[in-house]
Amino acid sequence: LEPMRTKRMAKDAPRIPPGSYAKAEAGELVSGLEGVDGVSAAKGWGVAVFDIPVEFVWKAVNDEGNFADRLPVSHSEVIAGRAKRDDRYLFQYMPPPMVDDRWWVTHMRHNGALYKASGGKIWEQAWTDATDTSRLKPQHSAMVESAQAVDWTHGSWLLIDLGDGKTLVEYYVWSHPGGMLPP
């Protein structure tokens, strides 16, 4: 992966400690935070190795319509572009109890250049913040009227085909939730 990092869409991805990969290969789900000088929000990351072919993991991370109630979001919907495809916009809403209601819109992109350069071994989906009320549909207004929009968010899923039906997964997210947070 190291020679390919310059081809990533997620340019601000954290440097995951090398020992994390050995732990992931041994079956551990490894995660951490990386602080950023001058920014109150840390980068969150996770690494795992799944005994699942990369194609199936890719299908799961691109199926945002089924994220609601499986992740801390209660609503996850493609609002522009085509579901599961490159260059789409995704609206998500997270209700309490973690924090006050939050909502955001992300621009989802697939890194075809990295896939091609790696001979089909490395798959990346990256997102950048696109939170703006003008992107919302009328049916979202009731959800967001008393909710807090995040200040910004971005991150990526990076999948590496290890062969023999195994996939190394790197997840990264860097978000500023906006508004007030409980201590």
Side-chain angles (χ1 to χ4, degrees):
L1 173 61
E2 214 44 51
M4 296 288 169
R5 285 199 184 272
T6 60
K7 296 183 183 333
R8 291 197 60 191
M9 288 179 147
K11 298 295 182 199
D12 294 324
R15 290 289 183 181
I16 296 171
S20 302
Y21 297 99
K23 291 177 183 176
E25 190 173 21
E28 195 174 327
L29 295 174
V30 187
S31 63
L33 294 172
E34 179 181 287
V36 179
D37 289 338
V39 181
S40 60
K43 297 175 185 181
W45 59 267
V47 175
V49 173
F50 297 125
D51 288 324
I52 303 171
V54 68
E55 296 87 357
F56 293 112
V57 180
W58 182 254
K59 286 178 184 179
V61 302
N62 278 278
D63 194 13
E64 297 102 351
N66 283 312
F67 285 5
D69 300 323
R70 291 194 168 111
L71 296 176
V73 297
S74 65
H75 192 89
S76 184
E77 176 186 353
V78 173
I79 56 174
R82 292 179 57 199
K84 305 174 188 172
R85 303 291 178 139
D86 182 34
D87 197 19
R88 65 189 183 276
Y89 288 82
L90 178 68
F91 166 73
Q92 292 184 305
Y93 172 82
M94 180 173 57
M98 292 169 124
V99 294
D100 290 338
D101 309 32
R102 293 293 193 273
W103 69 272
W104 58 93
V105 176
T106 50
H107 184 204
M108 311 299 287
R109 298 298 317 265
H110 295 166
N111 191 339
L114 179 60
Y115 178 84
K116 185 176 180 179
S118 69
K121 295 287 186 192
I122 303 175
W123 308 41
E124 182 185 33
Q125 175 175 267
W127 60 89
T128 54
D129 186 69
T131 302
D132 183 336
T133 54
S134 69
R135 295 187 189 280
L136 300 179
K137 295 180 179 181
Q139 64 265 29
H140 301 129
S141 59
M143 258 184 275
V144 303
E145 69 186 353
S146 63
Q148 170 73 45
V150 300
D151 282 351
W152 48 265
T153 183
H154 57 270
S156 74
W157 287 97
L158 188 73
L159 312 178
I160 302 171
D161 182 356
L162 299 176
D164 296 328
K166 291 185 175 217
T167 303
L168 171 71
V169 177
E170 278 187 23
Y171 174 78
Y172 138 70
V173 65
W174 192 22
S175 300
H176 192 290
M180 298 293 296
L181 294 176

